[in-house]
Amino acid sequence: MSVMRLLVLGAVRQHGRAHGYQIRNDLEFWGAHQWSNAKPGSIYHALKTMAKQGLLVAHEIAPSTAGGPPRTEYELTDAGEETYLDLLRESLRAHDERIDVLTTGVGFIVDLPRDEAVALLRERVAALDSWREEVLKHWTPEATPAEWGHIGEIMRLWTHNAESSADWTRGLIERLEGGAYVMAGEGRRSVDVLPDGVDNPFG
């Protein structure tokens, strides 16, 4: 799972068409530079790479009135749209990825229809419950013998994380089923991250 690809494709998609500085500002405002590898250089590299791969189309626009060089604006191709949605779905159902994968998926969850998002999250809960049962049944001793020592804490950590993640996911499912958020196909919603004229406080 490439968090960078999902972040950049999702940020471009929200704008419809955006240049690298906009994407960088959005991701920094979300704090993605703190909880993922979305640093400025990697953002621009991802944009150029995905344009070469046919996931984005690059448009050169006129130089700024201040005399700067032409900016390149990007938008998703059909292949980029398909890749984005595939990555988004996988980020929500996967139970064994790093936390930045789920964080990114939750950040874009409203791009999916409500029923689909709920179904993917239910898959996640089932996978977490299955993983917890596997650890309890096959890897955790009934009583921690002396030779296990502190290593037994690893199994407790795994089961605790599975339980807490499943509980949080069930809560999100409940909120979505209760009508929280404007999901795909449910009407217009704001896609602005930074309102016009507002500087990025983290930039």
Side-chain angles (χ1 to χ4, degrees), residues 166-201:
D167 286 345
W168 173 85
T169 307
R170 290 187 185 98
L172 178 53
I173 290 171
E174 183 178 346
R175 290 186 288 278
L176 289 174
E177 291 182 329
Y181 318 119
V182 179
M183 306 294 287
E186 295 181 350
R188 296 185 61 184
R189 64 176 185 270
S190 173
V191 297
D192 293 331
V193 175
L194 291 171
D196 290 339
V198 175
D199 292 331
N200 180 1

Side-chain angles (χ1 to χ4, degrees), residues 3-106:
V3 169
M4 178 60 67
R5 287 162 74 89
L6 179 54
L7 278 170
V8 171
L9 288 172
V12 171
R13 187 180 187 271
Q14 284 198 332
H15 287 282
R17 183 164 158 167
H19 53 75
Y21 186 70
Q22 286 177 299
I23 302 308
R24 173 184 169 182
N25 255 12
D26 285 2
L27 298 186
E28 287 182 350
F29 185 68
W30 298 341
H33 59 302
Q34 299 290 342
W35 48 262
S36 77
N37 60 347
K39 304 300 187 286
S42 56
I43 292 169
Y44 290 109
H45 177 73
L47 286 166
K48 292 176 182 178
T49 298
M50 289 191 286
K52 290 179 181 178
Q53 294 171 341
L55 303 181
L56 297 170
V57 58
H59 305 276
E60 280 202 3
I61 60 174
S64 70
T65 55
R71 276 184 167 166
T72 302
E73 289 188 339
Y74 298 89
E75 65 178 321
L76 268 65
T77 62
D78 289 344
E81 176 80 5
E82 182 179 353
T83 297
Y84 167 69
L85 292 174
D86 285 347
L87 289 170
L88 176 55
R89 292 174 180 124
E90 186 58 29
S91 71
L92 294 173
R93 70 159 62 92
H95 74 288
D96 53 356
E97 294 279 1
R98 302 181 313 274
I99 189 63
D100 56 342
V101 173
L102 177 60
T103 301
T104 305
V106 172

Side-chain angles (χ1 to χ4, degrees), residues 76-170:
L76 268 65
T77 62
D78 289 344
E81 176 80 5
E82 182 179 353
T83 297
Y84 167 69
L85 292 174
D86 285 347
L87 289 170
L88 176 55
R89 292 174 180 124
E90 186 58 29
S91 71
L92 294 173
R93 70 159 62 92
H95 74 288
D96 53 356
E97 294 279 1
R98 302 181 313 274
I99 189 63
D100 56 342
V101 173
L102 177 60
T103 301
T104 305
V106 172
F108 292 121
I109 195 171
V110 293
D111 287 343
L112 294 173
R114 189 175 301 275
D115 288 348
E116 182 178 7
V118 167
L120 290 167
L121 292 170
R122 290 194 185 283
E123 286 186 45
R124 178 180 183 81
V125 170
L128 286 165
D129 287 346
S130 178
W131 164 244
R132 176 182 176 276
E133 289 304 314
E134 180 181 343
V135 172
L136 287 174
K137 183 176 181 180
H138 299 292
W139 296 10
T140 305
E142 293 183 6
T144 304
E147 59 267 23
W148 278 74
H150 67 282
I151 301 302
E153 296 297 338
I154 294 173
M155 286 63 182
R156 294 188 182 94
L157 171 64
W158 288 348
T159 56
H160 174 81
N161 284 346
E163 290 166 359
S164 61
S165 186
D167 286 345
W168 173 85
T169 307
R170 290 187 185 98

